[in-house]
Amino acid sequence: MTTTEPVTDDAREAAPGAVARLVHSPSVRLIARRLVAAVPIVLGVSILTFIVLSLIPGDAAQLLLGPEATPEQIAAMHRQMGLDQPPVQRYLGWLGGALTGDLGNSLVSGQPVTGELGSRLAVTGELVGLAFVLSLGLAIPVALLAAYKPNRLFDRVSMLVSITGLAVANYVIALLLVLVFAVQFAFFPAIGFVPIGQGIGENLRSMLLPAVSIAFPLFCFYTRFLRGDLVDQLRGEDYIVTARAKGIGPGQVLLRHAFRNSSFGLLTVVGLNLGTLIGATVIIEQIFALPGIGQLLLQAINTRDFVVVQACVVVFAVVAVLANLVTDLLYAVLDPRIRYGNR
Amino acid sequence: MSIEEVSELASPAPVYGGAEPLLEVSDLRVRFDAKGRRVNAVNGLSYHVHAGRMLAIIGESGSGKSVSSRALMGLLPPTARISGSARFLGTDLLSLSEREMRRHRGADLAMVFQDPTRSLNPTMRIGTQITEAVRAHGDVDKRAAFDRAMELLQLVRLPAPERRFYEYPHQLSGGMRQRVMIAIALAADPKLLIADEATTALDVTTQAQVMELLLELQERLGTAIIMISHDLGLAASYAHDVIVMYAGRAVEYAPASTLFSHVRMPYTRALLGAIPRLERTPHSLLPVTPGQPPDLTALPPGCPFAPRCSRAQDDCHAEPPPFAEHEPGHWWACWHPCEVGGPAEEGGR
Amino acid sequence: MAIVEASASPALLEEAGQGRFRGWLRHLELIFPGALLVLIIGGCFVWPLVAAVPDPVGGDVLESNLPAFSEGHLLGTDPNGNDVWSRILYGGRASLVVGVAVNVLGLIVGGTLGAVSAHVGGLLDAVIMRVLDVLIAFPSLVLTLAVAQSLGPSQVNTIFALAFFSVPAFARVSRAATLRLREQPFMTAARLSGTSGRRMLFRHIAPNITPQLVTFSMLSMGIIIVIEGALSFLGLGIPPPAPSWGNMISQGQQALSATPMLVVWPCVVLFLTVLAFNLLGETLRARWSGR
């Protein structure tokens, strides 16, 4: 057998020193590679935003001073805002600040953007986090039950619900939820936000409807995805037959073998969603008047507060890129095929 | 004559002399209905396996050899239509519910599959996959399961078992993976091991090592083995008894030594002729059996091999030959069997 | 050979037992969304031409907020006295025109970009892909918001704004499909027999990736229509008084408790339209992937 033994980590394990091992570890190298690849994307997004924003007609000075402002007043305002400098210089100045954590001051309020973003991000983060918990928490058991007996009643109903639900826009759900639970029955506040500081129960009550609006389409998507992947495995994979041949029960085959492998795919999908979900928060926060980052962005666009817009977009991009990065890394840590470098 | 009637003739089970058989399959039929087409995968298969013996089931793809063994294990999808009986120590496996069958799977009958790369879960440690099989039958705690797994890994001669226990399938070579598969199959001391093309995906040296291992384990543990293969040469080297299948039924059955010295069924002879041999003239063409494997959705009324057979006469196309014990211990289904000692190439047209 | 037997049987079995009912159902998968789309498209584009439908704009304020089934107003009127049924039909025109235009743009520009990028490879591919990565990391709604703001809300600008979303998406799909295609033996054969690059692109690649792009465009129709609704909802899409489903929902929201049906009607048609495109896309995908 010795001749057929593959080269395993023996050689690597023999390499002296923990540092050498760390550098040569596939996961560490993967992290490094991804991080390096993420930098130009974030940079590109910030440049693109800058270009797009400088193309937008109308400016904050004009809006702040009103239609009667003289060109001199506007020019003075521009100097004060730093808008009189050439774009490249302005961008580099902004980039320098951004790297040290200073995203500039709002053109409208004059307040530092970084501080404002922090509290806004917390609200949006809670919203998105809650939506993920709700959607995954429901989708996983439903998909498992559906895949346990494919094409039976439960499976069919859950597939019908999920394909139908995928066609419902999140703002439609939001309005219908408001209509039913807030207007008709007044179970939940229709709009407004209660910070966690004023009691976690009240906070959750104010967050539940918006979170459900975001979670429902996600739930439908995850259910379909997971159920499909599970059933494909149960039907087509040889290791499922091996597991069954051991004499273990169908529940264990589903959980220990099929779900285990599907969870890696699910993780990727969740990570990719996180990036696109940010777009959904803009409209949901608007409907429910949640002081999140999406609402901030919309306000800033309407007031031509480009410093704030720039900051919001960059934060979104960083979150999207980071989400993909973390997904890849989690995948690498959890999936042994990648963890040990697939030969 | 319909297929159903044909197989009536083929139903008597060949009796291999001696003690009570471990497994007695009789008149096994498996059918799939697909898109209005009916695929008759197994059409009245009967055989015996005795403890401590190795039975080889030989056939081309589509001959029903894999489907028939999966039917025994209850591993076919629930939509397969299965009939006949398979008495395993007095229990008819085919009449068991899924829940009852589960008690036998792994514990009484175990299976090793063709492709160890696809048959092991890629995201589970080797050790977990073995202990899972150990713990599937009987109340075994973690520690005992670990010990048993170690024992099994040593039994199948996997080098460095303590390390391999914590590794993943892709870190092992194909031969080592198949050893792990065998360890899994042996986890609960099965009385019958079905090796479904267990060596087909391996290179020739590894193939021999795995077969030697199976033989050795059989001697040590007394396990009966059904070896499913398309490779008659492999069967000749290792099996005690050989069944040749064609179009879902047995066409010849004999102890290995008898079969290879006294081959009677033209199809078996054609298979034998297709094995490359060292003594053959270099660069001469291997004889090829003409024609296509039979269409399982529309089997001919007569002998299913007749359209491809060089010895076929009118009666072969009219009525299927019965599968009967024409000589002691030697069964075949043919109206015009080959003469003993005839040239090996004679079978195909 | 055992692989063939083992993997063929479950596939065969999936078909087994489905019988005539399933066969009928399989066509239903195509008939139902198809009929729904014919109804929606016919209703929006043809019905106002053949039947007497009131104007969607310029209603009489004296006739505001009439309930459904009022005389001459099938679904009643909105606070401005405009006929809701008429606004739904004309609003659907706007949504469908935007959806089709954005998809055609995505299909042509994005599809070509992706195919060329994958086919040429090398530096060009790397540059195009990095740019697309940036566009994809760029929150699409933000980009469309910015474009809509800079160009001003109008139907044409909405189309351009949404194209920023569809072009990279189509390019990705097309690139992935082309890359898969390159692995095929007939592509190697064509390359080795000296087929010109342009001929490869038009005669070999284009016909083979079209089914995947068309399938994707069905699914993306749903997404585009939803985003168009979102833009109009936020007041950045098609500006009132011209109707669109999005701005109808937005207007209705202001009096949600008093006249909820003003929100419900456009929501229902939006849902049905997206559902029809999604179902059609799913069916096409399932059929073209040979399952």
Side-chain angles (χ1 to χ4, degrees):
Chain A
M1 279 314 286
T2 42
T3 48
T4 54
E5 188 167 322
V7 188
T8 48
D9 295 31
D10 294 18
R12 285 179 197 144
E13 279 163 24
V19 176
R21 199 152 51 183
L22 200 65
V23 171
H24 290 290
S25 137
S27 350
V28 172
R29 273 196 285 191
L30 187 77
I31 296 176
R33 225 181 15 246
R34 299 285 173 169
L35 269 177
V36 170
V39 171
I41 294 180
V42 173
L43 221 57
V45 168
S46 74
I47 294 174
L48 188 67
T49 321
F50 209 81
I51 295 171
V52 169
L53 291 181
S54 51
L55 291 178
I56 294 182
D59 71 66
Q62 181 83 59
L63 282 176
L64 277 177
L65 295 170
E68 269 105 62
T70 61
E72 289 76 29
Q73 284 173 305
I74 290 176
M77 193 69 159
H78 276 171
R79 263 194 304 284
Q80 194 189 326
M81 290 173 164
L83 293 178
D84 56 336
Q85 291 167 343
V88 177
Q89 201 178 329
R90 254 163 55 210
Y91 177 73
L92 290 177
W94 175 86
L95 189 63
L99 289 178
T100 57
D102 174 19
L103 291 167
N105 296 333
S106 159
L107 295 182
V108 176
S109 69
Q111 298 296 311
V113 177
T114 314
E116 171 93 40
L117 275 180
S119 66
R120 298 271 183 166
L121 213 51
V123 175
T124 304
E126 189 190 344
L127 177 64
V128 171
L130 212 56
F132 270 127
V133 169
L134 285 173
S135 56
L136 282 174
L138 211 59
I140 290 173
V142 167
L144 283 171
L145 273 174
Y148 188 70
K149 286 196 171 152
N151 296 331
R152 300 291 270 277
L153 186 67
F154 185 83
D155 184 33
R156 304 230 168 202
V157 170
S158 70
M159 285 304 99
L160 192 69
V161 167
S162 57
I163 195 158
T164 315
L166 273 177
V168 191
N170 51 30
Y171 50 91
V172 169
I173 298 172
L175 291 177
L176 295 183
L177 285 176
V178 168
L179 191 59
V180 174
F181 289 105
V183 176
Q184 298 286 346
F185 298 111
F187 283 152
F188 294 97
I191 55 165
F193 173 71
V194 181
I196 292 190
Q198 295 175 23
I200 191 135
E202 282 303 301
N203 168 264
L204 282 179
R205 239 164 70 94
S206 71
M207 280 302 229
L208 195 62
L209 289 187
V212 168
S213 313
I214 296 179
F216 184 67
L218 285 181
F219 158 74
C220 296
F221 182 67
Y222 295 150
T223 308
R224 270 184 78 75
F225 173 84
L226 187 57
R227 182 264 177 199
D229 201 52
L230 288 172
V231 170
D232 280 354
Q233 278 191 69
L234 292 177
R235 287 207 175 124
E237 292 293 350
D238 288 352
Y239 52 78
I240 297 294
V241 183
T242 308
R244 290 184 60 210
K246 289 175 189 174
I248 59 178
Q252 276 210 58
V253 171
L254 185 68
L255 281 176
R256 288 178 59 113
H257 291 268
F259 179 58
R260 184 192 188 89
N261 293 6
S262 293
S263 59
F264 299 114
L266 187 64
L267 189 70
T268 317
V269 172
V270 170
L272 288 174
N273 273 155
L274 187 57
T276 55
L277 211 57
I278 303 252
T281 63
V282 174
I283 193 160
I284 296 299
E285 284 172 5
Q286 180 69 15
I287 292 174
F288 290 96
L290 296 180
I293 197 163
Q295 193 199 41
L296 179 70
L297 174 74
L298 208 58
Q299 284 170 1
I301 287 180
N302 284 329
T303 55
R304 302 289 191 276
D305 192 343
F306 294 157
V307 174
V308 174
V309 175
Q310 174 90 11
C312 290
V313 172
V314 168
V315 166
F316 282 165
V318 168
V319 170
V321 169
L322 273 185
N324 287 355
L325 186 72
V326 170
T327 314
D328 280 351
L329 298 182
L330 269 180
Y331 205 97
V333 171
L334 296 178
D335 191 333
R337 286 165 292 193
I338 296 176
R339 190 183 342 156
Y340 291 94
N342 215 341
R343 282 183 295 267
Chain B
M1 194 181 223
S2 78
I3 293 154
E4 276 68 24
E5 285 171 280
V6 171
S7 315
E8 296 290 301
L9 297 171
S11 53
V15 177
Y16 184 83
E20 185 85 343
L22 180 69
L23 172 72
E24 189 177 350
V25 175
S26 64
D27 200 25
L28 175 67
R29 287 152 196 277
V30 184
R31 178 187 99 205
F32 301 105
D33 292 314
K35 280 187 192 155
R37 297 183 321 150
R38 174 165 293 181
V39 179
N40 297 291
V42 182
N43 304 298
L45 176 68
S46 307
Y47 61 83
H48 288 176
V49 192
H50 287 263
R53 305 277 294 185
M54 186 185 289
L55 169 75
I57 302 183
I58 303 295
E60 306 172 286
S61 51
S63 61
K65 54 193 194 312
S66 268
V67 172
S68 63
S69 59
R70 279 175 195 229
L72 298 184
M73 294 279 291
L75 289 177
L76 291 174
T79 38
R81 297 282 162 269
I82 305 169
S83 68
S85 74
R87 302 196 76 78
F88 181 86
L89 294 174
T91 318
D92 182 7
L93 296 175
L94 302 183
S95 68
L96 296 180
S97 70
E98 164 68 21
R99 186 178 289 271
E100 290 165 332
M101 187 62 222
R102 210 187 304 148
R103 285 211 311 272
H104 292 279
R105 258 187 237 139
D108 289 327
L109 308 90
M111 206 160 175
V112 178
F113 300 93
Q114 173 174 15
D115 185 350
T117 310
R118 289 175 49 89
S119 299
L120 288 169
N121 191 331
T123 62
M124 257 170 126
R125 291 177 199 280
I126 300 294
T128 321
Q129 302 195 45
I130 300 174
T131 51
E132 183 183 61
V134 173
R135 301 181 75 177
H137 301 281
D139 192 18
V140 185
D141 68 28
K142 261 198 159 136
R143 183 70 226 172
F146 175 83
D147 292 341
R148 172 71 180 146
M150 280 301 149
E151 194 185 307
L152 286 164
L153 286 175
Q154 275 153 8
L155 192 69
V156 298
R157 304 264 183 74
L158 195 75
E162 296 82 6
R163 186 153 59 86
R164 298 297 181 201
F165 187 91
Y166 295 103
E167 289 190 344
Y168 289 90
H170 68 266
Q171 292 170 285
L172 270 58
S173 69
M176 288 158 96
R177 278 178 217 152
Q178 200 57 299
R179 280 165 196 266
V180 171
M181 280 300 294
I182 295 173
I184 290 174
L186 294 177
D189 281 323
K191 298 180 183 68
L192 174 67
L193 182 70
I194 303 174
D196 185 355
E197 299 269 3
T199 59
T200 305
L202 306 174
D203 65 64
V204 182
T205 2
T206 322
Q207 198 170 41
Q209 289 169 346
V210 169
M211 284 313 299
E212 294 291 345
L213 174 69
L214 283 177
L215 266 191
E216 184 199 320
L217 292 172
Q218 174 162 52
E219 267 166 39
R220 275 174 64 181
L221 309 170
T223 319
I225 295 180
I226 295 179
M227 165 196 160
I228 295 166
S229 177
H230 62 278
D231 186 344
L232 208 47
L234 202 68
S237 324
Y238 296 99
H240 299 112
D241 308 295
V242 179
I243 288 184
V244 178
M245 279 185 80
Y246 189 79
R249 67 192 76 181
V251 293
E252 190 158 12
Y253 175 60
S257 52
T258 316
L259 185 78
F260 294 105
S261 57
H262 294 82
V263 56
R264 302 307 293 264
M265 171 70 196
Y267 174 64
T268 316
R269 175 152 288 183
L271 280 183
L272 276 172
I275 301 173
R277 282 173 216 275
L278 286 176
E279 64 266 25
R280 196 184 290 278
T281 322
H283 306 295
S284 67
L285 288 174
L286 281 173
V288 174
T289 312
Q292 296 291 314
D295 178 4
L296 294 172
T297 60
L299 289 170
C303 168
F305 185 60
R308 301 168 75 185
C309 181
S310 63
R311 302 177 65 86
Q313 295 176 20
D314 289 349
D315 50 350
C316 297
H317 296 286
E319 207 175 321
F323 183 60
E325 188 173 21
H326 295 282
E327 285 167 12
H330 194 163
W331 296 60
W332 66 78
C334 184
W335 292 121
H336 308 286
C338 306
E339 310 307 322
V340 171
E345 285 81 357
E346 204 189 321
R349 187 180 288 175
Chain C
M1 52 205 288
I3 288 190
V4 175
E5 285 175 4
S7 56
S9 25
L12 288 176
L13 291 163
E14 196 186 342
E15 311 296 326
Q18 293 180 345
R20 199 168 299 148
F21 178 64
R22 273 296 280 191
W24 185 74
L25 256 185
R26 293 196 138 230
H27 288 293
L28 188 71
E29 285 175 359
L30 214 58
I31 293 167
F32 175 68
L36 201 54
L37 276 185
V38 168
L39 268 180
I40 292 166
I41 294 171
C44 293
F45 289 91
V46 183
W47 186 245
L49 302 179
V50 295
V53 175
D55 257 359
V57 291
D60 190 344
V61 188
L62 293 175
E63 292 198 324
S64 66
N65 288 330
L66 292 178
F69 307 111
S70 308
E71 202 187 332
H73 300 289
L74 186 60
L75 298 180
T77 56
D78 69 3
N80 300 323
N82 293 320
D83 182 72
V84 172
W85 172 235
S86 161
R87 285 182 74 78
I88 291 218
L89 296 184
Y90 283 93
R93 281 190 179 189
S95 292
L96 289 168
V97 165
V98 169
V100 169
V102 169
N103 266 295
V104 168
L105 269 177
L107 194 69
I108 294 173
V109 180
T112 315
L113 209 61
V116 170
S117 176
H119 183 58
V120 175
L123 187 67
L124 181 76
D125 185 38
V127 169
I128 290 180
M129 285 325 288
R130 286 298 79 74
V131 171
L132 292 182
D133 273 350
V134 168
L135 280 177
I136 283 174
F138 201 97
S140 51
L141 192 67
V142 175
L143 193 61
T144 48
L145 282 176
V147 175
Q149 269 287 7
S150 68
L151 301 176
S154 80
Q155 187 167 358
V156 176
N157 291 345
T158 308
I159 292 171
F160 282 123
L162 290 174
F164 271 97
F165 167 78
S166 69
V167 167
F170 272 94
R172 283 227 154 171
V173 172
S174 151
R175 179 173 182 273
T178 310
L179 285 180
R180 269 199 301 279
L181 204 62
R182 279 167 64 97
E183 318 263 301
Q184 301 281 322
F186 79 89
M187 287 294 288
T188 318
R191 213 170 20 245
L192 290 177
S193 54
T195 312
S196 74
R198 183 182 300 185
R199 200 183 150 76
M200 290 277 280
L201 216 48
F202 285 103
R203 298 302 299 274
H204 292 280
I205 297 177
N208 278 297
I209 63 171
T210 302
Q212 290 175 58
L213 288 178
V214 169
T215 305
F216 181 72
S217 67
M218 285 295 134
L219 299 173
S220 115
M221 264 307 266
I223 301 174
I224 297 296
I225 289 176
V226 165
I227 299 186
E228 184 275 320
L231 278 184
S232 296
F233 181 85
L234 294 173
L236 297 165
I238 293 159
S244 96
W245 293 340
N247 67 29
M248 288 175 76
I249 297 173
S250 174
Q251 279 178 346
Q253 188 212 355
Q254 288 156 14
L256 192 59
S257 46
T259 49
M261 291 320 278
L262 290 182
V263 170
V264 171
W265 291 124
C267 283
V268 167
V269 286
L270 182 76
F271 160 70
L272 288 177
T273 312
V274 176
L275 180 69
F277 278 114
N278 281 358
L279 287 178
L280 207 57
E282 285 286 329
T283 307
L284 288 182
R285 180 161 68 186
R287 296 208 165 180
W288 267 323
S289 71
R291 277 205 281 170

